């Protein structure tokens, strides 16, 4: 039998897609999905599952696709993953499940992420009725392993990003009465404000959040816990446990002169304006964003790639990624780097900024940089960039985005007395359970680990849900 | 949804809204603000809370018509609703018994200083107030502030009411009248940036500690975006979570002024777009 090659993902052509915010990747057709699913050799002891932080039965759902049982595939997927359409789009499968696929030893691994995306999309379009009944925890909710013991026990989730949503959904499936408190006007956290429409359409996020609501989870928006309520008040209101999933929403800056000049944004500000507030539709939407002709983005992670690609779509003529190490060390997913290159993003590698220069109106016009070379590996295991003396040069820019990472947002942790905080502002938790040093308070996702991936945050939410269930039961 | 219980227009281009927001009313303290979003396509705008009524479950906001959102708000009526309000945000003003507090406010800044002055009065401070407005028709909360003040001054830029001049003129006069003795133990100055800057410059020369309330551009209000960064004493601060109150003598005013202008053209475009739609 002829070997089936890994199915390519159809994508919008780069020249076209830089002019719009629609999805770049278009998704598999049914035929492609079935062909790809048939590549899975159904290992008895599947190693791919070990690479999945949310423990999806990967061969199980793929087998159902191969047999064209899409509804059954969706059920298996959703048994473990509450946000499959999100994960199918933004997970770094190449370093998680797919890297562990047996096929990858001899050829290409099964496109697990693309199949996940296919099934989630298929279900959304074809099988809306598979959603459980709304606002019901006692009734006929699928997957509900409710024990009378747990029914009506209240749990509060702070933050509605991937960690909080996952923890909430899993607790709801176990029969808990779950309320999520979200400070923004829309739930979703980084899925809404951070990841652009062309990589993760917002109606898909809404749909997956609706699914979580249908499990009985309540979401209160515009509620900044720490200000409107303290954690102590939540306990007083009868919440038996609290999960903190408030993310890493504190932007880091370079700390060099001129950084507060106009048109220098943190990636968070830039992306929030565009993604959450839809500044790309200004003035139909009220929130503006200023984009110039020449944009420099500092950093080389996924957020930097997103910022660069957003800049092009907003009409910038030249967009640079400026990064102090070499291409090999860039933390972004390979696919995102390739997408950025195809779209025309340019790369100034081994380059570090020293200062920003502004005009008489305080607008940034230049950035002075130094060339770097790589020295010995540093604590991160990557080779340390070392400045080359006398290599100063300037780049003309009129917009700058700083995308060098986020640290945990301290607002909430600071309001909880005696909570153990690490030196980077992260909440210190037990890695397995997410338990903090305060009984009944759990945390996970970026607030505990510092900026990481959506799926890692979801894994933490899942583990914490399990631990919270045990904790609440032990208290009864 | 947050229902408007009472709307009035106490001065030209300034609207007063009493809004049903019981949870915020219970928690908000002087100096804190909320961020509101009018409707689905609206931007998030920060507004300081001027008053609250815990029993009725309401907060009071005074909103000056400047851009699209604030202009659109001027058309709202009793019973209309605002889609989103989040708060309270920011660090509450530091309230203690300092002795004598000089409260200087201009324009819509009077609404910001009102709850602070009231709280300071309740703590037993002697309150000297100086209020300024462009003209008589722009004056708000005059009687309310007068009631809690031990000394009370008003100036109008055009002389249409009480005394022609600026709040800084009154400040200079009070300082001159009190040689060798500080005119107050602390100064609160809240209003347009140029006003706060001038007041801070004067009080700095006389070593009078001065607190200002800053209003930089913000998006989320939780420290997430960094749009509101201001340089205070050479250090970058996020006004939304570390402010809005800062030591006026340490603020880099030039930078603040520049950063406030960054969306000027866009703001005009947005307002024009709105006006066209209205026609």
């Amino acid at each position: 039998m002829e070997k089936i090659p890994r199915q390519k993902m159809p994508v919008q052509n780069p020249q076209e897609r830089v002019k719009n915010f629609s999805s770049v990747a278009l998704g598999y057709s049914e035929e492609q999905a079935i062909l790809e699913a048939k590549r899975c050799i159904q290992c008895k002891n599947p190693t791919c599952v070990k690479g999945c932080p949310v423990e999806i039965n990967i061969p199980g759902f793929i087998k159902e696709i191969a047999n064209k049982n899409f509804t059954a595939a969706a059920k298996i997927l959703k048994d473990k993953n509450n946000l499959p359409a999100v994960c199918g789009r933004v997970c770094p499968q190449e370093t998680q499940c797919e890297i562990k696929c047996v096929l990858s030893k001899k050829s290409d691994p099964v496109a697990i992420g693309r199949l996940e995306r296919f099934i989630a999309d298929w279900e959304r379009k074809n099988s809306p009725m598979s959603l459980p009944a709304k606002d019901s925890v006692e009734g006929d909710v699928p997957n509900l392993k409710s024990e009378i013991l747990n029914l009506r026990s209240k749990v509060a989730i702070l933050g509605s990003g991937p960690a909080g949503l996952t923890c909430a959904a899993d607790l709801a499936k176990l029969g808990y009465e779950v309320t999520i408190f979200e400070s923004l006007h829309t739930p979703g956290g980084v899925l809404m404000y951070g990841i652009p429409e062309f990589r993760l359409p917002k109606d898909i996020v809404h749909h997956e959040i609706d699914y979580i609501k249908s499990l009985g989870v309540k979401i209160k928006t515009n509620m900044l816990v720490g200000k409107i309520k303290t954690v102590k008040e939540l306990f007083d209101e009868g919440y038996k446990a609290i999960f903190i999933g408030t993310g890493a929403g504190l932007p880091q800056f370079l700390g060099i002169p001129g950084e507060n000049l106009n048109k220098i944004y943190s990636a968070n500000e830039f992306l929030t304006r565009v993604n959450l507030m839809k500044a790309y539709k200004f003035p139909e939407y009220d929130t503006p964003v200023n984009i110039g002709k020449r944009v420099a983005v500092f950093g080389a992670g996924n957020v930097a790639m997103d910022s660069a690609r957003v800049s092009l779509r907003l009409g910038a003529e030249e967009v640079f990624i400026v990064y102090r190490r070499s291409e090999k060390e860039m933390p972004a997913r390979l696919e995102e780097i390739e997408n950025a290159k195809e779209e025309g993003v340019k790369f100034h590698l081994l380059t570090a900024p020293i200062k920003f220069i502004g005009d008489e109106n305080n607008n940034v016009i230049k950035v002075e940089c130094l060339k770097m070379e790589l020295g010995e590996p540093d604590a991160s295991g990557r080779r340390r960039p070392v400045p080359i003396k006398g290599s100063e040069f300037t780049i003309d820019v009129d917009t700058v985005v700083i995308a060098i990472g986020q640290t945990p947002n301290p607002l909430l942790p600071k309001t909880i007395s005696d909570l153990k905080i690490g030196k980077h502002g992260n909440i210190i938790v037990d890695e397995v359970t997410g338990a903090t040093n305060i009984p009944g308070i759990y945390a996970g996702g970026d607030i505990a680990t510092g900026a990481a991936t959506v799926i890692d945050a979801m894994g933490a939410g899942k583990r914490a849900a399990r631990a919270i269930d045990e904790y609440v039961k032990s208290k009864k | 949804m947050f229902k408007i219980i009472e709307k009035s227009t106490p001065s030209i281009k300034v609207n007063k809204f009493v809004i049903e927001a019981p949870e915020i009313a219970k928690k908000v303290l002087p100096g804190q603000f909320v961020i509101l979003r009018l409707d689905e396509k609206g931007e998030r705008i920060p507004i300081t809370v001027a008053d609250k009524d815990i029993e009725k479950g309401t907060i009071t906001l005074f909103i000056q018509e400047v851009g699209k959102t604030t202009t659109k708000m001027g058309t709202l009526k009793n019973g209309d609703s605002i889609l989103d309000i989040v708060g309270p945000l920011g660090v509450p003003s530091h309230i203690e018994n300092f002795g004598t507090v000089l409260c200087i406010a201009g324009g819509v800044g009077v609404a910001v200083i009102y709850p602070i002055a009231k709280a300071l009065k309740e703590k037993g401070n002697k309150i000297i107030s100086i209020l300024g407005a462009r003209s008589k028709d722009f004056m708000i909360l005059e009687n309310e502030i007068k009631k809690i003040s031990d000394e009370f001054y008003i100036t109008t830029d055009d002389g249409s009411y009480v005394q022609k001049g600026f709040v800084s003129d009154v400040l200079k006069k009070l300082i001159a009248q009190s040689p060798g003795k500080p005119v107050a133990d602390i100064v609160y100055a809240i209003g347009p940036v140029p006003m706060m800057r001038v007041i801070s410059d004067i009080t700095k020369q006389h070593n009078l500690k001065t607190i200002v309330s800053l209003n930089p551009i913000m998006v989320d209000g939780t420290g997430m975006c960094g749009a509101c960064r201001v340089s205070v004493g050479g250090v970058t601060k996020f006004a939304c979570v570390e402010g809005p109150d800062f030591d006026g003598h340490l603020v880099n005013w030039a930078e603040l002024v520049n950063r406030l202008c960054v969306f000027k053209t866009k703001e005009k475009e947005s307002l024009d777009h709105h006006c066209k739609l209205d026609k």
Side-chain angles (χ1 to χ4, degrees):
Chain A
M1 197 176 80
E2 205 183 324
K3 239 172 68 191
I4 309 165
R6 179 171 157 122
Q7 296 299 297
K8 283 216 169 79
M9 178 71 111
V11 294
Q12 260 202 86
N13 144 342
Q15 286 78 42
E16 269 313 301
R17 71 186 191 229
V18 290
K19 296 177 205 152
N20 65 58
F21 274 81
S22 308
S23 276
V24 165
L26 302 171
Y28 278 163
S29 65
E30 280 189 19
E31 294 71 29
Q32 275 183 303
I34 292 167
L35 268 179
E36 183 63 33
K38 283 184 175 159
R39 294 183 65 231
C40 174
I41 57 168
Q42 295 289 321
C43 304
K44 272 209 187 99
N45 188 8
T47 42
C48 54
V49 179
K50 296 194 179 82
C52 174
V54 297
E55 309 151 6
I56 297 171
N57 174 2
I58 296 169
F61 94 84
I62 292 182
K63 188 178 179 184
E64 297 296 348
I65 300 178
N67 294 332
K68 225 185 159 180
N69 294 329
F70 300 148
T71 310
K75 196 171 172 306
I76 295 172
L77 193 54
K78 276 193 163 167
D79 184 45
K80 292 288 185 184
N81 189 348
N82 302 299
L83 302 165
V86 169
C87 290
R89 286 171 167 80
V90 303
C91 267
Q93 291 97 10
E94 67 278 10
T95 60
Q96 297 195 302
C97 50
E98 291 181 15
I99 200 174
K100 302 228 161 130
C101 174
V102 172
L103 294 190
S104 69
K105 284 181 189 149
K106 284 194 175 158
S107 66
D108 293 325
V110 174
I112 300 167
R114 293 169 186 181
L115 289 173
E116 179 180 29
R117 171 186 163 141
F118 168 79
I119 276 303
D121 289 357
W122 182 89
E123 195 203 27
R124 194 173 58 255
K125 281 176 212 134
N126 296 289
S127 175
M129 287 303 117
S130 74
L131 290 179
K134 273 204 184 287
D135 298 317
S136 152
V137 282
E138 287 136 310
D140 49 352
V141 180
N143 307 323
L144 183 67
K145 298 166 195 141
S146 84
E147 296 168 39
I148 299 298
L149 196 62
N150 293 334
L151 274 174
R152 307 280 89 169
S153 269
K154 296 202 300 179
V155 177
I157 309 281
L158 315 185
S160 65
L165 287 172
T166 303
C167 188
D170 276 16
L171 284 167
K173 284 175 178 174
L174 288 167
Y176 287 86
E177 192 180 320
V178 185
T179 306
I180 302 181
F181 296 88
E182 165 59 46
S183 67
L184 286 171
H185 54 259
T186 305
V190 73
L191 306 174
M192 291 305 290
Y193 74 75
I195 304 177
E197 180 76 17
F198 55 82
R199 208 148 72 78
L200 181 63
K202 299 304 154 233
D203 59 350
I204 283 169
V205 183
H206 285 306
H207 186 273
E208 299 217 311
I209 290 172
D210 282 347
Y211 164 73
I212 289 168
K213 281 189 196 162
S214 76
L215 297 170
V217 172
K218 292 193 196 82
I219 303 182
K220 292 191 173 187
T221 52
N222 294 310
M223 295 286 277
L224 179 58
V225 174
K227 292 282 184 188
I228 189 84
K229 275 178 200 297
T230 61
V231 159
K232 189 185 169 297
E233 284 167 322
L234 286 172
F235 281 126
D236 292 344
E237 285 176 25
Y239 290 95
K240 300 285 182 239
I242 292 172
F243 175 78
I244 304 172
T246 48
L250 186 74
Q252 286 189 282
F253 286 92
L254 293 158
I256 58 173
E259 201 160 21
N260 291 345
L261 286 168
N262 286 347
K263 299 184 186 172
I264 299 183
Y265 301 94
S266 74
N268 273 359
E269 180 188 355
F270 185 66
L271 293 175
T272 299
R273 284 181 182 277
V274 177
N275 301 332
L276 180 71
M277 307 308 293
K278 304 209 184 308
Y280 64 95
K281 293 185 180 170
F282 180 88
E284 182 200 341
Y285 280 74
D286 295 347
T287 304
V289 66
N290 285 315
I291 194 83
K293 289 193 168 72
R294 291 170 61 88
V295 182
V297 178
F298 291 86
N302 290 327
V303 176
M305 298 307 146
D306 284 345
S307 303
R309 299 170 68 197
V310 160
S311 300
L312 285 172
R313 284 161 175 78
L314 290 173
E317 287 166 12
E318 262 192 303
V319 179
F320 306 99
I321 289 277
V322 185
Y323 182 50
R324 60 195 186 123
R325 302 180 201 252
S326 75
E327 178 154 357
K328 219 172 76 192
E329 289 82 21
M330 294 204 291
R333 289 182 70 191
L334 193 62
E335 186 180 325
E336 303 314 330
I337 297 169
E338 280 169 5
N339 280 334
K341 280 185 179 166
E342 281 174 12
E343 290 167 12
V345 173
K346 294 171 185 165
F347 289 76
H348 275 293
L349 300 174
L350 290 165
T351 303
I354 327 169
K355 67 171 176 192
F356 295 106
I357 299 159
D359 65 7
E360 66 283 3
N361 296 319
N362 231 40
N363 292 319
V364 66
I365 51 167
K366 276 180 201 298
V367 51
E368 189 175 324
C369 297
L370 261 180
K371 287 304 248 178
M372 312 294 274
E373 57 192 357
L374 291 180
E376 293 302 307
D378 62 13
S380 74
R382 297 174 301 178
R383 292 178 66 192
R384 184 194 303 273
V386 183
I388 301 174
K389 270 198 186 124
S391 65
E392 289 88 347
F393 70 105
T394 60
I395 309 173
D396 290 340
V397 294
D398 51 18
T399 310
V400 168
V401 181
I402 315 276
I404 56 165
Q406 278 99 235
T407 51
N409 189 320
L411 197 145
L412 174 67
K414 273 203 301 204
T415 67
I416 308 172
S417 51
D418 303 330
L419 183 67
K420 256 198 192 157
I421 308 285
K423 64 176 174 200
H424 301 294
N426 54 308
I427 299 178
I428 294 181
V429 298
D430 178 294
E431 266 183 46
V432 178
T433 62
T436 68
N437 63 311
I438 300 176
I441 302 184
Y442 293 75
D446 289 1
I447 188 73
T449 57
T453 60
V454 166
I455 193 71
D456 284 330
M458 290 176 61
K462 197 167 214 40
R463 291 191 300 274
R466 215 173 278 157
I468 287 170
D469 179 42
E470 276 166 27
Y471 168 80
V472 175
K473 277 195 270 185
S474 76
K475 288 269 151 188
K476 291 260 176 179
Chain B
M1 296 289 265
F2 296 81
K3 198 168 156 194
I4 298 167
I5 303 298
E6 183 199 321
K7 185 229 174 177
S8 56
T9 304
S11 105
I12 294 176
K13 296 257 179 198
V14 175
N15 298 297
K16 177 187 172 188
F17 297 91
V18 179
I19 300 165
E20 205 172 72
E23 288 181 287
I24 300 174
K26 228 187 291 173
K27 284 287 174 161
V28 67
L29 292 169
Q32 289 190 298
F33 62 95
V34 293
I35 286 185
L36 60 84
R37 192 177 70 132
L38 213 48
D39 50 41
E40 206 45 55
K41 295 181 178 178
E43 59 185 332
R44 295 169 61 91
I45 61 164
I47 306 281
T48 306
V49 177
D51 211 348
K52 62 176 177 183
D53 187 325
I54 298 174
E55 272 170 34
K56 287 185 186 146
T58 59
I59 55 170
T60 303
L61 309 178
F62 286 78
I63 300 176
Q64 187 168 18
E65 293 180 21
V66 255
K68 174 174 170 182
T69 303
T70 51
T71 304
K72 213 167 161 186
M73 283 191 79
T75 66
L76 297 180
K77 302 178 291 294
N78 287 354
D80 287 347
S81 287
I82 291 163
L83 185 57
D84 299 298
I85 302 183
V86 58
L89 301 173
V91 181
S93 296
H94 180 73
I95 306 291
E96 65 166 73
N97 192 334
F98 296 102
T100 301
V101 184
L102 187 50
C103 294
I104 307 176
V108 81
V110 177
V112 181
I113 217 164
Y114 172 58
I116 300 172
K118 202 160 66 167
L120 287 165
K121 177 72 183 174
E122 280 161 16
K123 272 276 175 199
N125 288 285
K126 179 185 171 188
I127 307 288
I128 306 173
S129 307
I130 311 173
L131 306 188
R134 260 194 278 171
S135 73
K136 185 176 193 302
D137 299 332
F138 285 88
M139 187 61 73
I140 54 168
L141 289 167
E142 179 191 340
N143 292 328
E144 286 84 347
I145 300 261
K146 200 172 186 173
K147 226 168 78 185
I148 54 167
S149 301
D150 298 276
E151 276 179 48
F152 180 73
Y153 303 91
I154 276 192
T155 63
T156 43
D157 299 2
D158 65 355
S160 57
Y161 190 49
V162 191
Q163 180 180 341
K164 183 177 160 78
F166 301 106
V167 285
S168 52
D169 300 331
V170 182
L171 171 65
K172 283 185 206 154
K173 216 162 100 187
L174 291 180
I175 291 171
Q177 282 170 0
S178 166
K181 188 177 159 281
V183 62
D185 297 289
I186 192 164
V187 179
Y188 274 82
I190 304 175
V193 171
M195 182 213 105
M196 293 193 282
R197 186 180 191 171
V198 167
I199 299 293
S200 298
D201 284 347
I202 297 169
T203 56
K204 196 172 185 175
Q205 291 162 23
H206 297 276
N207 215 9
L208 284 168
K209 188 171 174 63
T210 300
I211 306 297
V212 293
S213 176
L214 303 186
N215 56 342
I217 290 167
M218 278 181 200
V219 185
D220 66 292
T222 65
M224 192 261 280
C225 81
C228 66
R229 53 197 200 272
V230 289
S231 297
V232 181
V235 179
T236 296
K237 301 272 184 189
F238 289 6
C240 71
V241 287
E242 297 173 278
D245 289 0
F246 291 104
D247 183 335
H249 297 165
L250 300 177
V251 171
N252 181 337
W253 293 103
E255 182 187 284
L256 177 65
V257 170
N258 280 316
R259 288 187 64 84
L260 280 167
C261 292
V262 71
F263 289 111
K264 270 259 156 73
T265 332
K266 293 276 183 189
E267 277 159 18
K268 196 178 172 301
E269 199 182 324
S270 181
L271 189 60
D272 290 349
H273 178 78
H274 168 63
C275 296
K276 266 180 225 141
L277 289 181
D278 259 12
K279 272 170 198 165

